[in-house]
Amino acid sequence: MTAVVEAIGLSRHYPGDTTPVRAVDAVDLAVEAGEAVSVMGPSGCGKSTLLHLLGGLERPTAGELRLGGQRVDRLSEAAWARLRRRSVGFVFQAFHLVDELTALENVELPALLVGVSRRAAKRAALALLDRLGVADRAHHLPDRLSGGERQRVALARALINEPLLVLADEPTGNLDSHATGEILKVFAGLPDTGQTLLLVTHDPRVAATAHRLLGMRDGSIVDDTRLDDGLSRHAVLSQLAGWDP
Amino acid sequence: MALLARLAWRNLRARPGQALLLLLALSLATTTVTLALAVNETGNDSWDRLHSRTNGFHVRTARSYRLDAPPPATLTGSPAPTAAEVARTHETLTDMAGAAGVVAHSGPWPMLATTGTVGGSRLELFLLVRPTAPEPVGQPLVTSGGWLAGIDDEVVLEDGLASVLHVTPGSTVTLAGQPVRVRGTAMTVSVGRYPLYQPPRVWVSPPAAARLRAAGAVDIGATLELRLADPDAAPGFAAAHGPGLETWQETRAGSHSELTVFAATLLVIGTLLAFLTIATAAVLVAGRMAARSRQVGALKAVGLTPGQATGVLLMEYLAVAMVASIVGIVAGTLFSPRVVRSAASMYGAPQAPPITWSRSAVAIGVAATVVVLATVGPALRGVRQSTVRALAANVRPPRRASRLGRLAGRLGLPLPAVLGLRGVTRRPGRTAANVTGLALGIAMVIVGLALYRGARRFLASPLFAEAGDRAVNRLLFDQLLTIVFAAAALLVALAVINAFVVAVFAARDSARHHAILRTLGATPRQTVTSFVVTQLAACLIACATGIPLGVLLFATAAGDDLNPVDLPLWTYAVVAVGALATYLVTVIGPARILARSPVTTQLTYE
């Protein structure tokens, strides 16, 4: 299969007082289309930085990065922005919704940025909100939504342009079990549409929902395990909000 | 207390840019207020110096020979007095010169009225007869050329007359149809400066007076100047010796009335600036509170009371107010002679007045009041929020969707513009402060331009055939224009500072918002455009309100001769474009900083 994400010697070093801080250090990684990958590791091990590098929010100090076969590590800020519109969807722990926009407008935004008409964007956004169970909250500002609702809106916003790659940074970190279950249910459906998921988490139960688990320490990937699709995953998921995949 | 002071000092050092902006805004207000108070003192100082150098009068009078006769239609049209009338007047004045308390006198000296041509302008003039030897009281100070030499075809012109009509020693002027040579120019406190003081005065020697009297100049009265043993007794002396006497205090107070108007106007502008500075300072304080809510939360968590937390903030800004007061006191005092120099009534080059406690107290009071009013509200609001919320604080999210942004979306405006317009109403207080300051500045520019155009049209009218009238009106208009344009410049300067402050804090507030947009695929240019649109919207509102306000102010304040406002339409367009361009230049710095700020820093901050 073709690798959607391919990193070779990907590094991000920051200047330190005496020696450089190696937030991400010579990471080699290939993630295939339709694959769901969890990244785990202690705080400060570079998980989020890796995610930011893969989504172009930070620039590598060394190494190569390919997205959908295209080399992207040398793209300009504007070129990365255009690529991100279509190919990358971000989900954050803190939701990061635009406070001034309603739930519907937040979801429409990426579609409008790629040039979809307002009418089509609205239709697609409403459909997604409906699929995620928050259509009745479409005209509310984020401040009026619960944490779970906000994250579902954020997820809808990440998915509206059907990106190749969904990058989720602790997406369930601020949610209760029920809301976590709702989010994971959506993630579980992504491989069916050929979308790739890279998920940073501290929660082993959430990590267990992926096809593959990467362990990180001191900026490097120290463990790369393929999880079976059998009993262990099912057991973990069934504990979450009584959800039965 | 020491701990709070140390914390306040650390906070100031950590944000020198913000302290500098507040210092600038406060200094504008304190400088203007100090200037307003110093201008009068500078005028007085200039008068006092000339009074001292010329051994000036304490009481003076100019008495008509024909007190009982009805006033003539023109000054030169009165019939010559009889010898008895002249003798009686001189006798009265001589008696007065010998009154108790008088230690020296000058006069009585005859005064004649005539017409003449000076520097090509035909004028009515008063001729003041003086001896060639220096007089003990009010001997005019020669400013160029020499004093009267007793030659019958030489005269000395009052300094203001010579300077306005560009006549220098050695020139020839015509008095009562007789050509006479200008021997010099001079000034004294008993004679005001032309053109504010009319008719203009010319000093002539007794032989020259006799020649001009023969040529048609008419004796109209006599002057007397007295020095008293006790200068403060002048009002009592004047009251005791009948009407028509003027004390040195009265002459001094009225000698620069146009400066008094100027000072009053400056005081109004200074007060207006102080009010607007409250808005600037409030934006800074509110911005600081938003940025510092974590610190406040931490301080409260370790046991600081809300009052103490407010005290830290107040201490910071009072320190800035203190520095701004010193800057204002020094700058206002030093600028005062420069401002006064252009005044037509000034005798010689003005000097800076000494710094006084009363003036300093006013400047300190203005700065401290601004800071207290601006700090207490936002600071109390900030410290009242719960400690937990403060520790987790970020910009307070809106509770209602922006109608303006929704309308912009419906109108099909580009996405960055729609997003920008949504942000306009996010901080209504800041936007209002920003718009008010800018609108007032724009209004003053319009008033200035309308006044300039109206004055030119008015001065070109046939009403001012007389050079003196034209000169007086030109001077008055020049002074008015100076005031209006100075006010406009100060207001615009403060508006620019305010706009910059607002833009800096708006950039900080919206940094997270823009970082989110960039994660969704908005380019840096799109996010900057969105930010600039938000900021320019305030400027557009200011133009839309400031221009009509300026027209309205001018229409209300200007007299019938200057109304209606007849500025061409392109002038309004130029003012609006100029305001927008200035504003754009002001906000582009914060916008570029916003564009350069890394996305991940903003998103991980929460």
Side-chain angles (χ1 to χ4, degrees), chain B residues 492-569:
Chain B
V492 167
L494 190 65
V496 166
I497 293 173
N498 198 22
F500 185 72
V501 168
V502 170
V504 165
F505 282 102
R508 284 187 190 178
D509 280 359
S510 54
R512 178 181 159 274
H513 174 132
H514 289 286
I516 295 171
L517 292 179
R518 280 160 68 181
T519 67
L520 301 179
T523 60
R525 181 175 290 186
Q526 282 176 312
T527 59
V528 167
T529 306
S530 155
F531 177 77
V532 170
V533 166
T534 312
Q535 300 303 307
L536 280 186
C539 187
L540 279 171
I541 300 169
C543 286
T545 51
I547 291 175
L549 179 67
V551 172
L552 189 71
L553 277 176
F554 186 78
T556 311
D560 293 339
D561 293 318
L562 297 182
N563 255 331
V565 182
D566 68 342
L567 288 172
L569 280 177

Side-chain angles (χ1 to χ4, degrees), chain A residues 52 57-58 77-78 81-82 84-85 88 90 92 94 96-102 105-106 109-110 112-113 118 139 141 143-144 157, chain B residues 397-402 406 409 412-413 415 418-419 422 426 512-513 516-524 526 599-600 603-604 606:
Chain A
H52 294 156
L57 297 184
E58 284 199 60
E77 185 82 16
R82 283 188 285 271
R84 206 154 43 225
R85 286 175 199 171
V88 183
F90 268 103
F92 299 96
H96 291 318
L97 296 174
V98 181
D99 294 330
E100 286 81 7
L101 303 184
T102 62
E105 289 165 339
N106 262 286
L109 199 53
L112 294 173
L113 281 168
R118 284 177 197 280
H139 298 290
L141 287 177
D143 193 45
R144 299 292 182 198
R157 188 179 66 181
Chain B
R399 296 287 168 91
R400 258 191 339 202
S402 157
R406 196 164 286 175
L413 294 178
L415 191 60
V418 174
L419 291 171
R422 282 184 180 274
R426 183 161 193 189
R512 178 181 159 274
H513 174 132
I516 295 171
L517 292 179
R518 280 160 68 181
T519 67
L520 301 179
T523 60
Q526 282 176 312
V599 174
T600 49
L603 296 183
T604 50
E606 203 164 319

Side-chain angles (χ1 to χ4, degrees), chain A residues 221-239:
Chain A
I221 294 175
V222 293
D223 193 24
D224 187 348
T225 310
R226 200 158 283 281
L227 300 171
D228 67 75
D229 287 331
L231 192 61
S232 62
R233 272 188 81 203
H234 185 271
V236 168
L237 293 173
S238 59
Q239 287 173 16

Side-chain angles (χ1 to χ4, degrees), chain B residues 80-167:
Chain B
T82 63
E85 285 170 333
V86 172
R88 190 175 65 222
T89 305
H90 280 241
E91 192 180 331
T92 308
L93 294 180
T94 306
D95 287 349
M96 199 183 291
V102 176
V103 291
H105 72 275
S106 172
W109 295 109
M111 184 164 72
L112 294 83
T114 188
T115 53
T117 305
V118 179
S121 296
R122 191 163 173 75
L123 308 159
E124 281 195 325
L125 303 118
F126 282 174
L127 309 178
L128 303 174
V129 182
R130 287 289 186 280
T132 53
E135 282 289 284
V137 181
Q139 172 63 28
L141 180 74
V142 174
T143 50
S144 66
W147 183 241
L148 298 168
I151 303 166
D152 71 355
D153 68 346
E154 281 187 346
V155 296
V156 170
L157 300 188
E158 186 273 310
D159 187 75
L161 173 69
S163 105
V164 168
L165 298 178
H166 309 292
V167 178

